[in-house]
Coordinates of all heavy atoms in Angstrom, one line a residue:
N1 N 97.5 81.0 81.9 CA 97.6 82.5 82.1 C 96.3 83.0 82.8 O 95.2 82.8 82.3 CB 97.8 83.1 80.8 CG 98.9 82.6 80.0 OD1 99.9 82.2 80.6 ND2 98.9 82.8 78.7
T2 N 96.6 83.5 84.0 CA 95.4 84.0 84.8 C 95.6 85.4 85.3 O 96.7 85.8 85.5 CB 95.1 83.0 86.0 OG1 96.3 82.9 86.7 CG2 94.7 81.6 85.6
Y3 N 94.5 86.0 85.6 CA 94.5 87.3 86.3 C 93.3 87.4 87.1 O 92.3 86.6 87.0 CB 94.6 88.5 85.3 CG 93.5 88.6 84.3 CD1 92.3 89.4 84.5 CD2 93.4 87.8 83.1 CE1 91.3 89.5 83.6 CE2 92.4 87.9 82.2 CZ 91.3 88.8 82.4 OH 90.3 88.9 81.5
C4 N 93.1 88.4 87.9 CA 91.9 88.6 88.8 C 91.2 89.9 88.5 O 91.9 90.9 88.2 CB 92.3 88.7 90.3 SG 92.7 87.2 91.0
L5 N 89.9 89.9 88.5 CA 89.1 91.1 88.5 C 88.5 91.2 89.9 O 87.9 90.3 90.4 CB 88.0 91.0 87.4 CG 88.4 90.8 86.0 CD1 87.3 90.5 85.1 CD2 89.2 92.0 85.5
L6 N 88.6 92.4 90.5 CA 88.0 92.7 91.8 C 87.1 93.8 91.6 O 87.4 94.9 91.0 CB 89.2 93.0 92.8 CG 90.2 91.9 92.9 CD1 91.5 92.4 92.2 CD2 90.4 91.7 94.4
S7 N 85.9 93.7 92.3 CA 84.8 94.8 92.3 C 84.4 95.1 93.7 O 84.1 94.1 94.4 CB 83.6 94.3 91.5 OG 83.9 94.2 90.1
F8 N 84.4 96.3 94.0 CA 83.8 96.7 95.3 C 83.0 98.0 95.2 O 83.7 99.1 94.7 CB 85.0 96.9 96.3 CG 84.6 97.5 97.6 CD1 83.8 96.8 98.5 CD2 84.9 98.8 98.0 CE1 83.5 97.3 99.8 CE2 84.6 99.3 99.2 CZ 83.8 98.6 100.1
E9 N 81.8 98.0 95.5 CA 80.9 99.2 95.4 C 81.0 100.1 94.2 O 81.2 101.3 94.2 CB 81.3 100.1 96.7 CG 81.2 99.4 98.0 CD 79.7 99.1 98.4 OE1 78.8 99.9 98.0 OE2 79.5 98.2 99.2
G10 N 81.0 99.4 93.1 CA 81.1 100.0 91.8 C 82.5 100.3 91.2 O 82.6 100.7 90.1
S11 N 83.5 100.1 92.0 CA 84.9 100.3 91.6 C 85.5 99.0 91.2 O 85.2 97.9 91.9 CB 85.8 100.9 92.7 OG 85.3 102.2 93.0
K12 N 86.3 99.0 90.2 CA 86.9 97.7 89.7 C 88.4 97.9 89.5 O 88.9 98.9 89.2 CB 86.3 97.4 88.3 CG 84.8 97.1 88.4 CD 84.2 96.7 87.1 CE 82.8 96.5 87.4 NZ 82.1 96.0 86.2
E13 N 89.1 96.8 89.8 CA 90.6 96.7 89.6 C 90.9 95.3 89.0 O 90.2 94.4 89.0 CB 91.3 96.7 91.0 CG 91.2 98.1 91.7 CD 92.1 99.1 91.1 OE1 93.1 98.8 90.4 OE2 91.8 100.3 91.3
K14 N 92.0 95.3 88.3 CA 92.5 94.2 87.6 C 94.0 93.9 88.0 O 94.8 94.9 87.9 CB 92.3 94.4 86.1 CG 92.8 93.2 85.2 CD 92.6 93.5 83.7 CE 93.3 92.5 82.9 NZ 93.2 92.8 81.4
T15 N 94.3 92.7 88.1 CA 95.8 92.4 88.4 C 96.4 92.1 87.1 O 95.8 92.1 86.0 CB 95.9 91.1 89.3 OG1 95.5 90.0 88.5 CG2 95.1 91.2 90.6
S16 N 97.8 92.0 87.2 CA 98.5 91.6 86.0 C 98.3 90.1 85.7 O 97.8 89.4 86.5 CB 100.0 91.8 86.2 OG 100.4 91.0 87.3
V17 N 98.6 89.7 84.5 CA 98.5 88.2 84.1 C 99.7 87.5 84.6 O 100.8 87.9 84.4 CB 98.3 88.1 82.6 CG1 98.3 86.7 82.1 CG2 97.1 88.8 82.1
V18 N 99.4 86.4 85.3 CA 100.5 85.4 85.7 C 100.5 84.3 84.7 O 99.5 83.6 84.5 CB 100.3 84.9 87.1 CG1 101.3 83.8 87.4 CG2 100.4 86.0 88.1
K19 N 101.6 84.1 84.0 CA 101.7 83.1 82.9 C 102.2 81.8 83.4 O 103.0 81.7 84.3 CB 102.6 83.7 81.9 CG 102.0 84.9 81.2 CD 102.9 85.3 80.0 CE 102.3 86.6 79.5 NZ 102.5 86.7 78.1
D20 N 101.6 80.8 82.8 CA 102.1 79.3 83.0 C 102.2 78.9 84.4 O 103.2 78.3 84.9 CB 103.5 79.2 82.3 CG 103.4 79.6 80.8 OD1 102.4 79.3 80.2 OD2 104.4 80.2 80.3
S21 N 101.2 79.2 85.2 CA 101.2 78.7 86.6 C 99.8 78.2 87.0 O 98.8 78.8 86.7 CB 101.6 79.9 87.6 OG 101.5 79.5 88.9
T22 N 99.9 77.0 87.6 CA 98.6 76.5 88.2 C 98.3 77.0 89.6 O 97.3 76.7 90.1 CB 98.6 74.9 88.3 OG1 99.8 74.5 89.0 CG2 98.8 74.4 86.8
H23 N 99.3 77.7 90.2 CA 99.1 78.3 91.5 C 99.6 79.7 91.5 O 100.7 80.0 92.1 CB 99.8 77.5 92.7 CG 99.2 76.2 92.8 ND1 99.6 75.1 92.1 CD2 98.3 75.7 93.7 CE1 98.9 74.0 92.5 NE2 98.1 74.4 93.4
P24 N 99.0 80.7 90.8 CA 99.5 82.0 90.6 C 99.6 82.8 91.9 O 98.7 82.6 92.7 CB 98.6 82.6 89.6 CG 97.2 81.8 89.7 CD 97.7 80.4 90.1
K25 N 100.5 83.7 92.0 CA 100.6 84.6 93.1 C 100.7 86.0 92.5 O 101.7 86.3 91.8 CB 101.8 84.4 93.9 CG 101.7 83.1 94.7 CD 102.9 82.8 95.6 CE 102.8 81.5 96.2 NZ 102.3 81.5 97.6
W26 N 99.6 86.8 92.7 CA 99.6 88.2 92.0 C 100.3 89.2 92.9 O 100.9 90.1 92.3 CB 98.2 88.6 91.8 CG 97.5 87.7 90.7 CD1 97.7 87.9 89.3 CD2 96.7 86.6 90.8 NE1 97.0 86.9 88.7 CE2 96.4 86.1 89.6 CE3 96.2 85.9 92.0 CZ2 95.5 85.0 89.4 CZ3 95.3 84.9 91.8 CH2 95.1 84.4 90.5
G27 N 100.2 89.1 94.1 CA 100.9 90.1 95.1 C 100.6 91.5 94.8 O 101.5 92.4 95.0
K28 N 99.5 91.8 94.4 CA 99.1 93.2 94.1 C 98.2 93.8 95.2 O 97.3 93.2 95.7 CB 98.2 93.2 92.8 CG 97.7 94.6 92.5 CD 96.9 94.7 91.2 CE 96.3 96.0 91.0 NZ 96.8 96.8 89.9
D29 N 98.6 95.0 95.7 CA 97.9 95.7 96.6 C 96.8 96.5 95.9 O 97.2 97.2 94.9 CB 98.8 96.7 97.4 CG 99.6 96.0 98.4 OD1 99.3 94.8 98.8 OD2 100.6 96.6 98.9
V30 N 95.6 96.5 96.3 CA 94.5 97.1 95.7 C 93.9 98.0 96.7 O 93.5 97.5 97.9 CB 93.5 96.2 95.1 CG1 92.3 96.8 94.6 CG2 94.0 95.3 94.1
T31 N 93.6 99.2 96.4 CA 93.0 100.1 97.4 C 91.7 100.6 96.7 O 91.6 101.1 95.7 CB 93.9 101.4 97.7 OG1 95.1 100.9 98.3 CG2 93.2 102.3 98.7
F32 N 90.6 100.5 97.5 CA 89.3 101.0 97.2 C 89.0 102.1 98.1 O 89.0 101.9 99.3 CB 88.2 100.0 97.2 CG 88.4 98.9 96.1 CD1 88.7 97.6 96.5 CD2 88.0 99.2 94.8 CE1 88.8 96.6 95.5 CE2 88.2 98.2 93.8 CZ 88.6 96.9 94.2
K33 N 88.7 103.3 97.6 CA 88.5 104.5 98.6 C 87.0 104.6 98.8 O 86.4 105.6 98.4 CB 89.1 105.7 98.0 CG 90.6 105.6 97.9 CD 91.2 106.9 97.5 CE 92.7 106.6 97.4 NZ 93.6 107.8 97.5
K34 N 86.4 103.6 99.4 CA 85.0 103.6 99.7 C 84.8 103.1 101.2 O 85.7 102.3 101.6 CB 84.2 102.6 98.7 CG 84.5 103.0 97.3 CD 83.4 103.6 96.7 CE 83.5 103.8 95.2 NZ 82.4 104.2 94.5
K35 N 83.8 103.4 101.7 CA 83.6 103.0 103.1 C 82.9 101.7 103.2 O 82.0 101.4 102.4 CB 82.7 104.1 103.8 CG 82.6 103.8 105.3 CD 81.9 105.0 106.0 CE 81.7 104.7 107.4 NZ 82.5 105.6 108.2
V36 N 83.3 100.8 104.0 CA 82.8 99.5 104.2 C 81.5 99.6 105.2 O 81.6 100.3 106.2 CB 83.8 98.5 104.9 CG1 83.1 97.2 105.3 CG2 84.9 98.2 104.0
T37 N 80.5 98.9 104.8 CA 79.3 98.8 105.6 C 79.0 97.4 106.0 O 79.8 96.5 105.5 CB 78.0 99.4 104.9 OG1 77.7 98.5 103.8 CG2 78.2 100.8 104.3
G38 N 78.1 97.1 106.8 CA 77.7 95.8 107.2 C 77.3 94.9 106.1 O 77.3 93.7 106.2
T39 N 76.9 95.5 104.9 CA 76.4 94.7 103.8 C 77.4 94.7 102.6 O 77.1 94.2 101.5 CB 75.1 95.2 103.3 OG1 75.1 96.5 102.9 CG2 74.0 95.0 104.4
S40 N 78.6 95.4 102.8 CA 79.6 95.4 101.7 C 80.1 94.1 101.4 O 80.3 93.2 102.2 CB 80.7 96.3 102.1 OG 80.3 97.6 102.3
T41 N 80.4 93.9 100.0 CA 81.0 92.7 99.6 C 82.1 93.0 98.6 O 82.1 94.0 97.9 CB 80.0 91.7 98.9 OG1 79.4 92.4 97.8 CG2 78.9 91.2 99.9
L42 N 83.1 92.2 98.5 CA 84.1 92.2 97.4 C 83.9 91.1 96.5 O 83.9 89.9 96.9 CB 85.5 92.1 98.1 CG 86.7 92.1 97.1 CD1 86.8 93.4 96.4 CD2 87.9 91.7 97.7
A43 N 83.7 91.3 95.2 CA 83.5 90.2 94.2 C 84.9 90.0 93.5 O 85.6 90.9 93.1 CB 82.5 90.7 93.2
V44 N 85.3 88.8 93.5 CA 86.6 88.4 92.9 C 86.3 87.3 91.8 O 85.7 86.4 92.1 CB 87.5 87.8 94.0 CG1 88.9 87.4 93.3 CG2 87.7 88.7 95.1
K45 N 86.9 87.6 90.6 CA 86.8 86.6 89.5 C 88.2 86.3 89.1 O 89.0 87.2 88.8 CB 86.1 87.2 88.3 CG 84.5 87.3 88.4 CD 83.9 87.6 87.1 CE 82.4 87.6 87.4 NZ 81.7 87.9 86.1
V46 N 88.6 85.0 89.1 CA 89.9 84.6 88.6 C 89.6 84.2 87.1 O 88.8 83.4 86.8 CB 90.5 83.4 89.3 CG1 91.7 82.9 88.7 CG2 90.7 83.7 90.8
M47 N 90.3 85.0 86.2 CA 90.0 84.8 84.8 C 91.2 84.0 84.1 O 92.4 84.2 84.5 CB 90.0 86.2 84.1 CG 88.9 87.1 84.7 SD 87.2 86.5 84.5 CE 87.1 86.7 82.7
G48 N 90.9 83.2 83.1 CA 91.9 82.6 82.3 C 92.0 83.4 80.9 O 91.1 84.0 80.5
S49 N 93.2 83.4 80.4 CA 93.5 84.2 79.3 C 94.4 83.5 78.3 O 95.3 82.7 78.7 CB 94.2 85.5 79.7 OG 94.6 86.3 78.7
V50 N 94.0 83.6 77.0 CA 94.9 83.1 75.9 C 95.0 84.3 75.0 O 94.3 85.2 74.9 CB 94.3 81.9 75.2 CG1 94.2 80.7 76.1 CG2 92.9 82.2 74.7
S51 N 96.2 84.2 74.2 CA 96.5 85.4 73.3 C 95.4 85.5 72.2 O 95.1 86.6 71.8 CB 97.8 85.2 72.7 OG 98.0 83.9 72.0
L52 N 94.9 84.4 71.7 CA 93.8 84.5 70.7 C 92.6 83.8 71.2 O 92.6 82.7 71.6 CB 94.3 83.8 69.4 CG 95.5 84.4 68.7 CD1 95.9 83.6 67.5 CD2 95.1 85.8 68.1
G53 N 91.6 84.5 71.4 CA 90.3 84.0 71.9 C 89.8 84.8 73.0 O 90.4 85.8 73.5
K54 N 88.7 84.3 73.6 CA 88.0 85.0 74.6 C 88.4 84.5 76.0 O 88.6 83.3 76.2 CB 86.5 84.8 74.4 CG 85.6 85.6 75.4 CD 84.1 85.3 75.2 CE 83.4 86.1 76.1 NZ 81.9 85.8 76.1
D55 N 88.7 85.4 76.9 CA 89.0 85.2 78.3 C 87.8 84.5 78.9 O 86.6 84.7 78.5 CB 89.3 86.4 79.1 CG 90.6 87.0 78.6 OD1 91.3 86.4 77.7 OD2 91.0 88.1 79.2
W56 N 88.0 83.6 79.9 CA 86.9 82.9 80.6 C 87.1 82.9 82.1 O 88.2 83.2 82.6 CB 86.9 81.4 80.1 CG 88.1 80.6 80.6 CD1 88.1 79.8 81.7 CD2 89.4 80.5 80.0 NE1 89.4 79.3 81.7 CE2 90.2 79.7 80.7 CE3 90.0 81.1 78.8 CZ2 91.5 79.4 80.4 CZ3 91.3 80.9 78.5 CH2 92.0 80.0 79.3
V57 N 86.0 82.7 82.9 CA 86.0 82.7 84.3 C 86.5 81.3 84.8 O 85.8 80.3 84.5 CB 84.6 83.0 84.8 CG1 84.7 83.0 86.4 CG2 84.2 84.4 84.4
V58 N 87.6 81.3 85.5 CA 88.1 80.1 86.1 C 87.3 79.8 87.3 O 86.9 78.7 87.5 CB 89.7 80.2 86.4 CG1 90.3 79.0 87.1 CG2 90.4 80.5 85.1
G59 N 87.1 80.8 88.1 CA 86.3 80.7 89.3 C 86.1 82.1 89.9 O 86.7 83.0 89.5
E60 N 85.1 82.1 90.8 CA 84.7 83.4 91.3 C 84.2 83.2 92.8 O 83.8 82.1 93.1 CB 83.7 84.1 90.5 CG 82.4 83.3 90.3 CD 81.5 84.0 89.3 OE1 81.6 85.2 89.1 OE2 80.7 83.3 88.7
T61 N 84.3 84.3 93.6 CA 83.8 84.3 94.9 C 83.3 85.7 95.3 O 83.8 86.6 94.7 CB 84.9 83.8 95.9 OG1 84.2 83.5 97.2 CG2 86.0 84.7 96.1
T62 N 82.4 85.8 96.2 CA 82.0 87.0 96.8 C 82.3 87.0 98.3 O 81.9 86.0 99.1 CB 80.5 87.3 96.5 OG1 80.3 87.3 95.1 CG2 80.1 88.6 97.2
V63 N 83.1 88.0 98.8 CA 83.5 88.0 100.1 C 82.7 89.0 100.9 O 82.8 90.2 100.6 CB 85.0 88.3 100.3 CG1 85.4 88.3 101.8 CG2 85.8 87.3 99.5
P64 N 81.9 88.7 102.0 CA 81.3 89.7 102.8 C 82.3 90.4 103.6 O 83.2 89.8 104.1 CB 80.3 88.9 103.7 CG 80.4 87.5 103.3 CD 81.6 87.4 102.4
L65 N 82.2 91.8 103.6 CA 83.3 92.6 104.2 C 82.9 93.2 105.6 O 83.7 93.9 106.2 CB 83.7 93.7 103.3 CG 84.4 93.2 102.0 CD1 84.7 94.4 101.1 CD2 85.6 92.4 102.3
G66 N 81.8 92.9 106.1 CA 81.3 93.4 107.4 C 82.3 93.2 108.5 O 82.3 94.0 109.5
F67 N 83.0 92.1 108.5 CA 84.0 91.8 109.5 C 85.0 92.9 109.7 O 85.6 93.0 110.8 CB 84.7 90.4 109.3 CG 85.5 90.4 108.1 CD1 86.9 90.8 108.1 CD2 85.0 89.8 106.9 CE1 87.6 90.8 106.9 CE2 85.8 89.8 105.8 CZ 87.1 90.2 105.8
L68 N 85.3 93.7 108.6 CA 86.3 94.7 108.7 C 85.8 95.9 109.6 O 86.7 96.7 110.0 CB 86.6 95.3 107.3 CG 87.4 94.3 106.4 CD1 87.5 94.8 105.0 CD2 88.7 94.0 107.0
L69 N 84.6 96.0 110.0 CA 84.1 97.0 110.9 C 84.6 96.8 112.3 O 84.8 97.7 113.0 CB 82.6 97.1 110.8 CG 82.0 97.5 109.5 CD1 80.4 97.4 109.5 CD2 82.4 98.9 109.1
S70 N 84.9 95.6 112.7 CA 85.4 95.3 114.0 C 86.8 94.8 114.0 O 87.4 94.6 115.1 CB 84.5 94.2 114.6 OG 84.5 93.0 114.0
K71 N 87.3 94.5 112.8 CA 88.7 93.9 112.8 C 89.3 94.6 111.5 O 88.9 94.3 110.4 CB 88.5 92.4 112.5 CG 89.7 91.6 112.5 CD 89.4 90.1 112.4 CE 90.6 89.2 112.3 NZ 90.2 87.8 112.2
S72 N 90.4 95.4 111.7 CA 90.9 96.1 110.6 C 91.8 95.4 109.7 O 92.0 95.9 108.5 CB 91.7 97.3 111.1 OG 92.8 96.9 111.9
S73 N 92.2 94.2 109.9 CA 93.0 93.4 109.0 C 92.6 91.9 109.2 O 92.1 91.5 110.2 CB 94.5 93.5 109.3 OG 94.8 93.0 110.6
H74 N 92.7 91.2 108.1 CA 92.3 89.8 108.0 C 93.0 89.1 106.8 O 93.2 89.8 105.8 CB 90.7 89.8 107.9 CG 90.2 88.4 107.6 ND1 90.1 87.4 108.6 CD2 89.8 87.8 106.5 CE1 89.6 86.4 108.1 NE2 89.4 86.5 106.8
E75 N 93.2 87.9 107.0 CA 93.7 87.1 105.8 C 92.9 85.8 105.8 O 92.6 85.2 106.9 CB 95.2 86.7 106.0 CG 95.7 85.8 104.9 CD 97.2 85.6 104.9 OE1 97.9 86.3 105.7 OE2 97.6 84.6 104.2
G76 N 92.4 85.4 104.7 CA 91.6 84.2 104.6 C 91.7 83.5 103.2 O 92.0 84.2 102.2
A77 N 91.4 82.2 103.1 CA 91.3 81.5 101.9 C 89.8 81.3 101.6 O 89.1 80.9 102.4 CB 92.0 80.2 102.0
Y78 N 89.5 81.7 100.4 CA 88.1 81.6 100.0 C 87.9 80.7 98.8 O 88.6 80.8 97.8 CB 87.6 83.1 99.5 CG 87.7 84.1 100.7 CD1 88.9 84.7 101.0 CD2 86.7 84.1 101.6 CE1 89.0 85.6 102.0 CE2 86.8 85.0 102.7 CZ 87.9 85.7 102.9 OH 88.0 86.5 104.0
P79 N 86.9 79.8 98.9 CA 86.7 78.8 97.8 C 86.2 79.5 96.5 O 85.4 80.5 96.7 CB 85.7 77.8 98.3 CG 85.0 78.5 99.5 CD 86.0 79.6 99.9
L80 N 86.7 79.1 95.3 CA 86.2 79.6 94.1 C 85.1 78.7 93.5 O 85.3 77.5 93.6 CB 87.3 79.7 93.1 CG 88.4 80.7 93.5 CD1 89.6 80.6 92.5 CD2 87.9 82.1 93.4
K81 N 84.1 79.3 93.0 CA 83.0 78.5 92.3 C 83.0 78.8 90.9 O 83.5 79.8 90.4 CB 81.7 78.9 93.0 CG 81.6 78.5 94.5 CD 80.3 78.9 95.0 CE 80.2 78.6 96.5 NZ 79.0 78.9 97.1
S82 N 82.4 77.9 90.1 CA 82.2 78.1 88.7 C 81.1 79.2 88.5 O 80.4 79.5 89.4 CB 81.9 76.8 88.0 OG 80.6 76.4 88.3
E83 N 81.0 79.7 87.3 CA 79.9 80.6 87.0 C 78.5 80.1 87.3 O 77.6 80.9 87.7 CB 80.0 81.1 85.6 CG 81.1 82.1 85.3 CD 81.1 82.6 83.9 OE1 81.4 81.8 82.9 OE2 80.7 83.8 83.7
S84 N 78.3 78.8 87.2 CA 77.0 78.2 87.5 C 76.8 78.0 89.0 O 75.7 77.6 89.4 CB 77.0 76.8 86.8 OG 77.8 75.9 87.4
G85 N 77.8 78.3 89.9 CA 77.7 78.2 91.2 C 78.2 76.9 91.8 O 78.2 76.7 93.0
A86 N 78.6 76.0 90.9 CA 79.2 74.7 91.4 C 80.6 75.0 92.1 O 81.3 75.9 91.6 CB 79.3 73.7 90.3
G87 N 81.0 74.1 93.0 CA 82.3 74.2 93.6 C 83.4 73.5 92.8 O 83.2 73.1 91.7
G88 N 84.5 73.4 93.5 CA 85.6 72.7 92.9 C 86.5 73.3 92.0 O 87.2 72.7 91.2
K89 N 86.6 74.6 92.1 CA 87.5 75.4 91.2 C 88.7 76.0 92.0 O 89.3 76.9 91.4 CB 86.7 76.5 90.5 CG 85.7 76.1 89.5 CD 86.4 75.5 88.3 CE 85.4 75.2 87.2 NZ 86.1 74.8 86.0
G90 N 89.1 75.4 93.1 CA 90.3 76.0 93.8 C 89.9 77.0 94.8 O 88.7 77.1 95.3
K91 N 90.9 77.8 95.3 CA 90.7 78.8 96.3 C 91.6 79.9 96.0 O 92.5 79.8 95.3 CB 90.8 78.2 97.7 CG 92.3 77.8 97.9 CD 92.5 77.3 99.3 CE 93.9 76.8 99.4 NZ 94.2 76.4 100.8
I92 N 91.3 81.1 96.6 CA 92.1 82.2 96.6 C 92.4 82.8 97.9 O 91.4 82.8 98.8 CB 91.5 83.3 95.6 CG1 92.5 84.5 95.4 CG2 90.1 83.8 96.1 CD1 92.1 85.4 94.3
T93 N 93.6 83.2 98.2 CA 93.9 83.7 99.5 C 94.0 85.3 99.4 O 94.6 85.8 98.5 CB 95.2 83.2 100.0 OG1 95.2 81.8 100.1 CG2 95.6 83.8 101.4
L94 N 93.2 86.0 100.3 CA 93.1 87.4 100.2 C 93.5 87.9 101.6 O 93.3 87.4 102.6 CB 91.7 87.8 99.9 CG 91.1 87.4 98.6 CD1 89.7 87.7 98.5 CD2 91.8 88.0 97.4
K95 N 94.3 89.1 101.6 CA 94.6 89.8 102.8 C 93.9 91.1 102.7 O 93.9 91.8 101.7 CB 96.2 90.0 102.8 CG 96.9 88.7 103.0 CD 98.4 89.1 102.9 CE 99.2 87.8 102.9 NZ 100.7 88.1 102.8
F96 N 93.3 91.5 103.8 CA 92.5 92.8 103.9 C 93.1 93.7 105.0 O 93.5 93.2 106.1 CB 91.1 92.5 104.3 CG 90.3 91.6 103.2 CD1 90.3 90.3 103.3 CD2 89.7 92.2 102.3 CE1 89.6 89.5 102.4 CE2 89.0 91.5 101.3 CZ 88.9 90.1 101.4
Q97 N 93.1 95.0 104.7 CA 93.4 96.0 105.7 C 92.4 97.1 105.4 O 92.1 97.5 104.3 CB 94.8 96.6 105.5 CG 95.8 95.6 106.0 CD 97.2 96.2 106.1 OE1 97.5 97.0 105.3 NE2 98.0 95.9 107.2
Y98 N 91.8 97.6 106.5 CA 90.7 98.6 106.4 C 91.1 99.8 107.3 O 91.4 99.6 108.4 CB 89.4 98.0 106.8 CG 88.2 99.0 106.7 CD1 88.0 99.6 105.5 CD2 87.4 99.3 107.8 CE1 86.9 100.5 105.4 CE2 86.4 100.1 107.8 CZ 86.1 100.8 106.6 OH 85.1 101.7 106.5
A99 N 91.1 101.0 106.7 CA 91.4 102.2 107.4 C 90.3 103.0 107.8 O 90.3 104.1 108.0 CB 92.4 103.1 106.5
G100 N 89.1 102.3 108.0 CA 87.9 103.0 108.5 C 87.3 104.1 107.7 O 86.9 105.1 108.2
G101 N 87.3 103.9 106.4 CA 86.7 104.9 105.5 C 87.7 105.6 104.5 O 87.4 106.0 103.5
A102 N 89.0 105.6 104.9 CA 90.0 106.1 104.0 C 90.3 105.3 102.9 O 90.7 105.6 101.8 CB 91.3 106.5 104.8
G103 N 90.2 103.9 103.1 CA 90.4 102.9 102.0 C 89.8 101.6 102.5 O 89.8 101.4 103.7
A104 N 89.4 100.9 101.6 CA 88.8 99.6 102.0 C 88.9 98.5 100.9 O 89.2 98.8 99.8 CB 87.3 99.8 102.3
G105 N 88.5 97.4 101.3 CA 88.3 96.3 100.3 C 89.6 95.5 100.1 O 90.2 95.0 101.1
G106 N 89.9 95.2 98.8 CA 90.8 94.3 98.4 C 92.1 94.2 99.1 O 92.2 94.3 100.3
G107 N 93.2 94.0 98.4 CA 94.5 94.0 99.0 C 95.2 92.7 98.8 O 94.6 91.6 99.2
D108 N 96.3 92.7 98.3 CA 97.3 91.7 98.2 C 96.6 90.3 98.0 O 96.7 89.4 98.9 CB 98.1 91.7 99.5 CG 99.4 91.1 99.3 OD1 99.9 91.1 98.1 OD2 100.1 90.7 100.3
D109 N 96.0 90.1 96.9 CA 95.5 88.7 96.6 C 96.7 87.9 96.1 O 97.4 88.3 95.2 CB 94.4 88.8 95.5 CG 94.8 89.6 94.4 OD1 95.2 90.8 94.5 OD2 94.6 89.1 93.2
D110 N 97.0 86.8 96.8 CA 98.2 86.1 96.5 C 98.1 84.7 96.3 O 99.1 84.0 96.4 CB 99.2 86.4 97.6 CG 98.8 85.7 98.9 OD1 97.6 85.3 99.0 OD2 99.6 85.7 99.8
G111 N 97.0 84.2 95.9 CA 96.9 82.7 95.6 C 95.7 82.5 94.7 O 94.8 83.3 94.7
G112 N 95.7 81.3 94.2 CA 94.5 81.2 93.3 C 94.3 79.8 92.8 O 95.0 78.8 93.1
G113 N 93.3 79.8 91.9 CA 92.7 78.7 91.4 C 93.5 77.5 90.8 O 94.7 77.4 91.0
G114 N 92.9 76.7 90.1 CA 93.5 75.7 89.4 C 93.2 74.4 89.8 O 93.4 73.4 90.1

């Protein structure tokens, strides 16, 4: 059971939990109403969940968003790392659309770890 936590410039969003999948697809559109700068980043954590017990970080990545200043849409696969920074935790595919200040950041995260 997995879900994603997304953070951009102090704003946070959470996807729904996808149960019993080693290749979850969340398909959630996320809108952050903040302006992207050359140093903006999107932090993504893929979390594991059980009904009894503490959730854990399956993998995480930080995506630099400066490319959105010259390219209003983008799709890419980003490797997930463990909390210690080691690799090998899968990847997440993210699609971005940027409206030049009206909305920015996340968007349609549709693939993930495992």
